[in-house]
Amino acid sequence: MNTIHCERMDLELLSANFLEALMGGRRTEAQTLVPFPLPAAWPGAHEHHFRMRLDQMRKNPATEGWLVRAMVLRGPTPLAVGRIGFHGPPGVNGKRDPGALEVGYDVDPVHRRKGYASEAARALISWASAEHGIRRFLASVSPGNEPSLAIVRKLGFVQIGTQWDEDDGEELVVFELSR
């Protein structure tokens, strides 16, 4: 299933073909590969993340369905408000825990504080549980990111430690959710 449905939005899979077109400056081609209008700002602040996920897909195409989805509000004109996904298939996470998935999300600044990240994370976690039998989820959050800390706590994640992030180089607070 390429689309995961939430209450107010759909989580649309961003394929390797889409990311290659978008990152290659071929916006017209990229637009034909998704069912929502491309945000003018993309790739913009998402560029590093999109490139990282595209590299993962190139190395292992089977990871595509786990990695990155657009959060798209339904309506007469669908609107992408951010992105969400896992860091990889089960086992690709900061703890290197073989049975866990690590969730990550980013809502565009003008669309924050409306519950989109919580709604999307709940739906993505439910999809992984129902479709793939995953029962353990991780989230790593910068200690100063109060809004994201509030989201993971609201979702029922419990702090289990800290870790060093290889990309950002800063210590992260690690949370786990068991279902």
Side-chain angles (χ1 to χ4, degrees):
M1 175 163 100
N2 287 338
T3 302
I4 297 170
H5 303 287
C6 306
E7 182 181 329
R8 299 174 288 173
M9 69 184 101
D10 295 321
L11 307 181
E12 297 288 353
L13 183 66
L14 300 180
S15 69
N17 290 338
F18 168 81
L19 292 174
E20 285 173 353
L22 182 66
M23 302 311 289
R26 301 185 315 275
R27 289 185 66 82
T28 302
E29 178 185 342
Q31 181 61 77
T32 67
L33 299 171
V34 292
F36 58 90
L38 276 181
W42 279 18
H46 302 288
E47 183 170 359
H48 171 74
H49 179 79
F50 286 161
R51 285 194 190 283
M52 185 171 54
R53 297 301 176 228
L54 179 57
D55 287 345
Q56 282 179 276
M57 291 177 204
R58 285 176 176 154
K59 289 176 187 167
N60 183 356
T63 64
E64 185 176 274
W66 297 102
L67 295 177
V68 63
R69 295 171 182 273
M71 294 183 217
V72 182
L73 293 178
R74 288 187 213 100
T77 302
L79 177 66
V81 297
R83 62 174 168 76
I84 190 165
F86 296 114
H87 289 210
V92 178
N93 55 67
K95 284 182 55 184
R96 298 183 190 350
D97 182 326
L101 287 168
E102 186 167 354
V103 67
Y105 46 82
D106 184 39
V107 176
D108 295 333
V110 298
H111 300 291
R112 290 181 181 160
R113 303 194 55 78
K114 298 175 184 169
Y116 298 144
S118 298
E119 180 180 330
R122 249 190 314 277
L124 190 66
I125 288 167
S126 292
W127 168 81
S129 292
E131 299 291 322
H132 300 282
I134 305 300
R135 299 289 176 244
R136 287 191 344 278
F137 300 88
L138 302 171
S140 300
V141 181
S142 173
N145 188 343
E146 290 299 328
S148 194
L149 290 169
I151 289 168
V152 296
R153 289 179 178 127
K154 176 181 174 181
L155 293 171
F157 282 78
V158 176
Q159 183 176 345
I160 59 169
T162 60
Q163 74 185 26
W164 184 261
D165 183 74
E166 293 176 12
D167 289 327
D168 298 329
E170 61 184 81
E171 191 172 36
L172 300 173
V173 181
V174 180
F175 294 84
E176 184 170 348
L177 173 68
S178 296
R179 294 177 63 102

